[in-house]
């Protein structure tokens, strides 16, 4: 006759349950160990982007260059110069593409050395310098076409990749200098800053008849017939006012200014619709 079995404390049923529980806990810990942690969002970093213009480029249609803030103190900048002036250069051909890096001042000086006249800048909330650099690489070897793949299109593509949302499209504005002016009309962009002017910056003294003479903020005169009223740092306050040297006439505010501009002397008369008259003269800063 068989004895009924008796489970003793610490026997297999008890040990098996304990072992199974330990295995479950170990498996859970392993799963936790290999489960990837939630990705930490990368904070957006603001950055500055700029468009430069050479007004006399492309037989007066204008020419543009670009620049963007690639780190806290460094800017990347360049342009497509198309030295052959050919309306079409195939991919891989010489389009005069160049790119440099440096401080903001280095960027402005590099553009000034290459004959650019003005620049305007905007700030993007989340800069994308890697995307801009990738697009610039594509542009550098992508050839040139006067109507659809020119300096303006390259500027637009590189800075759009950086994060800029332009108020005007190149396809709507065929002349780069017109496109530049449309950009500066948008309040998100700065007023144009003059960096190159053959006739320089002048301090103007003006004397209305029966009024005390005053000295204005500096004026910047340019040989393409434009004049800007600027502050002491060269930032444009108003303008441009267009005319045709050497005998020039500008309407600034309500006053008409007449002048002879030859690069060494600057003087003339002024008048308003209400009958006020006066004289003015200028000396180079």
């Amino acid at each position: 006759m068989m004895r009924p079995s008796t489970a003793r404390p610490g026997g297999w049923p008890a040990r098996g349950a304990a072992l199974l529980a330990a295995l479950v806990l170990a498996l859970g810990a392993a799963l936790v160990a290999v489960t990837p942690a939630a990705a930490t969002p990368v904070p957006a970093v603001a950055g500055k982007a700029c468009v430069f213009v050479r007004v006399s480029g492309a037989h007066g249609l204008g020419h543009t260059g670009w620049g963007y803030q690639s780190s806290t103190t460094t800017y990347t900048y360049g342009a497509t110069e198309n030295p052959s002036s050919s309306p079409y250069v195939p991919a891989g051909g010489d389009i005069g593409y160049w790119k440099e890096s440096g401080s903001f001042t280095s960027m402005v000086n590099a553009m000034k050395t290459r004959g650019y006249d003005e620049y305007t800048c905007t700030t993007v909330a989340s800069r994308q310098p890697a995307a801009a650099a990738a697009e610039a690489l594509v542009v550098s070897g992508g050839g040139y076409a006067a109507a659809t793949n020119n300096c303006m299109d390259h500027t637009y593509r590189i800075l759009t990749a950086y994060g800029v949302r332009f108020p005007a499209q190149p396809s709507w504005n065929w002349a780069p200098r017109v496109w530049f002016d449309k950009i500066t009309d948008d309040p998100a962009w700065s007023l144009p800053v003059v960096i190159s002017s053959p006739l320089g910056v002048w301090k103007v003294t003006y004397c209305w008849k029966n009024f005390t003479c005053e000295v204005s903020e500096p004026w910047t005169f340019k040989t393409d017939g434009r004049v800007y009223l600027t502050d002491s740092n060269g930032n444009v306050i108003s303008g441009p006012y267009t005319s045709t040297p050497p005998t020039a006439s500008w309407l600034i505010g309500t006053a008409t200014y007449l002048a002879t501009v030859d690069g060494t002397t600057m003087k003339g008369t002024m008048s308003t619709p209400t009958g006020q008259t006066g004289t003015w003269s200028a000396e180079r800063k």
Side-chain angles (χ1 to χ4, degrees):
M1 185 173 179
M2 297 179 64
R3 289 183 187 174
S5 63
T6 303
R8 289 178 294 173
W12 164 247
R15 288 199 301 270
L19 180 60
L20 181 61
L23 287 172
V24 170
L25 288 174
L27 179 61
L31 289 174
V32 170
V34 299
T35 301
T40 303
V42 178
V45 179
K48 181 182 287 189
C50 304
V51 175
F52 294 81
V53 66
R54 185 190 300 137
V55 176
S56 61
H59 307 288
L61 294 176
H63 170 78
T64 60
W66 50 268
Y68 59 82
Q69 185 178 6
S70 45
S71 70
T72 303
T73 59
T74 304
Y75 287 75
T76 301
Y77 43 93
T80 300
E81 305 293 351
N82 189 25
S84 68
S85 297
S86 173
Y88 175 75
V89 178
D94 181 12
I95 60 173
Y97 172 87
W98 64 274
K99 183 182 78 170
E100 296 177 0
S101 294
S103 66
F104 184 86
T105 300
S106 296
M107 175 175 70
V108 173
N109 287 338
M111 291 295 185
K112 182 176 181 178
T113 299
R114 289 174 169 86
Y116 288 83
D117 299 297
E118 307 162 28
Y119 68 86
T120 179
C121 297
T122 190
T123 299
V124 302
S126 179
R127 67 188 188 213
Q128 304 295 325
E135 186 62 30
L137 182 61
V138 173
V139 161
S140 68
Y144 179 93
T148 59
N149 189 26
N150 57 39
C151 64
M152 175 172 54
D153 296 298
H154 294 176
T155 298
Y156 177 86
R157 286 167 53 184
I158 292 168
L159 294 188
T160 296
Y162 183 73
V164 173
R165 296 296 174 259
F166 284 97
Q169 310 299 316
S171 58
W172 304 344
N173 303 274
W174 284 53
R177 66 181 294 179
V178 173
W179 181 64
F180 179 86
D181 289 341
K182 292 286 182 64
I183 293 170
T184 60
D185 286 341
D186 189 280
W189 290 77
S190 66
L191 287 170
V193 178
V194 179
I195 59 174
S196 179
S197 175
L199 292 185
V201 179
W202 302 68
K203 274 286 191 179
V204 177
T205 301
Y206 54 96
C207 305
W208 292 104
K209 189 176 182 180
N210 300 326
F211 286 85
T212 304
C213 294
E214 300 178 40
V215 177
S216 76
E217 290 282 359
W219 290 5
T220 300
F221 294 89
K222 300 179 67 175
T223 53
D224 65 0
R226 294 190 294 172
V227 60
Y228 297 84
L229 182 61
T230 66
D231 63 20
S232 57
N233 294 318
N235 299 309
V236 175
I237 297 173
S238 62
Y241 306 100
T242 58
S243 188
T244 305
T247 301
S249 171
W250 297 280
L251 180 64
I252 303 177
T254 61
T256 300
Y257 292 78
L258 301 174
T260 299
V261 181
D262 63 11
T264 57
T265 61
M266 200 81 70
K267 62 183 178 180
T269 60
M270 53 193 183
S271 61
T272 69
T274 59
Q276 287 183 303
T277 60
T279 60
W280 66 275
S281 62
E283 62 181 13
R284 195 183 291 270
K285 279 189 62 181

